[in-house]
Amino acid sequence: QQQVKQSPQSLIVQKGGISIINCAYENTAFDYFPWYQQFPGKGPALLIAIRPDVSEKKEGRFTISFNKSAKQFSLHIMDSQPGDSATYFCAASLVGGGYNKLIFGAGTRLAVHP
Amino acid sequence: DAGVIQSPRHEVTEMGQEVTLRCKPISGHNSLFWYRQTMMRGLELLIYFNNNVPIDDSGMPEDRFSAKMPNASFSTLKIQPSEPRDSAVYFCASSQDRAQETQYFGPGTRLLVL
């Protein structure tokens, strides 16, 4: 019940296209849903995050869509660029043991071809 | 700020040897996390410190793993004795906000145990 399921495992998109990565969760106690971006040889870095009281959050070319009833959320990258090529992790935050514990999805390796 | 600093960046050792990974969190951050990243298991939380005190070590795989945080600016993760299955990238992350929602990751230590 603490899992976050992420798909697809890998994604190839042409430059200028839309990249879509999906995540699903079971535990309705999750109250914070961040996306992290990781470049090769680097640590993950927070990209964008959303709380369950809103259905969408947009920051530049990156948008999170959140469907509370379906317990699903997704990351959309508009006008994808080669520089967006990275591994993307969705996560969910669960308040347990006195702190917010991040549960990560398995990751999606995105390649944007020129 | 220099961000989270980890050392060494790469470590190659032989099975049975002791390995010590080091982390310097961002100044002023009071929460510190150690993660392990592998292809098979993704990003796993090993241990969480708050104000230098271990709060949750339920992710530490076995007694061969230990972690300390002697002060607010330094933490270590030790594996003794190391085994080939410990080969992974180990990340340290720190957080400032009360809910520890935004975690800042270091560049990681890539460990190979032969």
Side-chain angles (χ1 to χ4, degrees), chain B residues 57-76:
Chain B
D57 65 355
S58 61
M60 296 288 264
E62 41 193 286
D63 292 346
R64 298 184 297 106
F65 286 70
S66 62
K68 294 181 179 180
M69 192 164 187
N71 57 63
S73 59
F74 183 66
S75 177
T76 60

Side-chain angles (χ1 to χ4, degrees), chain A residues 31-32 36 38 41-44 46 51 89 93 97-102 104 109, chain B residues 9 33 35 37 39 43 45 48 55-56 58 91 99-103 105-107:
Chain A
D31 58 1
Y32 178 72
Y36 278 77
Q38 184 180 24
K42 305 290 186 182
L46 180 65
R51 295 189 185 279
F89 294 92
S93 181
Y99 74 105
N100 278 8
K101 181 175 182 176
L102 283 178
F104 285 91
R109 183 169 293 187
Chain B
R9 292 295 311 276
F33 306 82
Y35 288 90
Q37 185 176 44
M39 290 295 293
L43 267 167
L45 177 66
Y48 159 61
I55 303 298
D56 182 2
S58 61
F91 289 103
Q100 301 100 34
E101 288 175 342
T102 304
Q103 297 183 18
F105 283 75

Side-chain angles (χ1 to χ4, degrees), chain A residues 1-106:
Chain A
Q1 203 181 25
Q2 288 203 15
Q3 282 186 326
V4 177
K5 296 183 179 180
Q6 183 171 347
S7 63
Q9 191 173 21
S10 62
L11 181 63
I12 298 175
V13 174
Q14 293 299 120
K15 179 182 176 181
I18 302 174
S19 303
I20 301 175
I21 304 171
N22 301 298
C23 285
Y25 63 97
E26 287 295 324
N27 193 335
T28 56
F30 287 141
D31 58 1
Y32 178 72
F33 300 88
W35 284 88
Y36 278 77
Q37 180 188 55
Q38 184 180 24
F39 292 106
K42 305 290 186 182
L46 180 65
L47 181 64
I48 186 173
I50 197 169
R51 295 189 185 279
D53 53 347
V54 297
S55 61
E56 185 176 283
K57 183 173 182 180
K58 184 176 181 179
E59 291 184 1
R61 297 184 292 107
F62 300 90
T63 300
I64 300 178
S65 297
F66 188 85
N67 186 328
K68 189 174 181 178
S69 60
K71 291 184 283 188
Q72 296 176 347
F73 59 111
S74 59
L75 176 69
H76 295 235
I77 306 175
M78 310 300 289
D79 187 26
S80 299
Q81 299 296 312
D84 297 330
S85 298
T87 300
Y88 292 81
F89 294 92
C90 63
S93 181
L94 174 67
V95 179
Y99 74 105
N100 278 8
K101 181 175 182 176
L102 283 178
I103 310 296
F104 285 91

Side-chain angles (χ1 to χ4, degrees), chain B residues 73-110:
Chain B
S73 59
F74 183 66
S75 177
T76 60
L77 178 68
K78 186 177 294 187
I79 308 172
Q80 166 62 20
S82 58
E83 296 182 3
R85 59 193 169 117
D86 301 331
S87 298
V89 181
Y90 291 82
F91 289 103
C92 174
S94 69
S95 172
Q96 178 184 34
D97 52 47
R98 185 180 304 175
Q100 301 100 34
E101 288 175 342
T102 304
Q103 297 183 18
Y104 297 84
F105 283 75
T109 294
R110 185 173 295 273

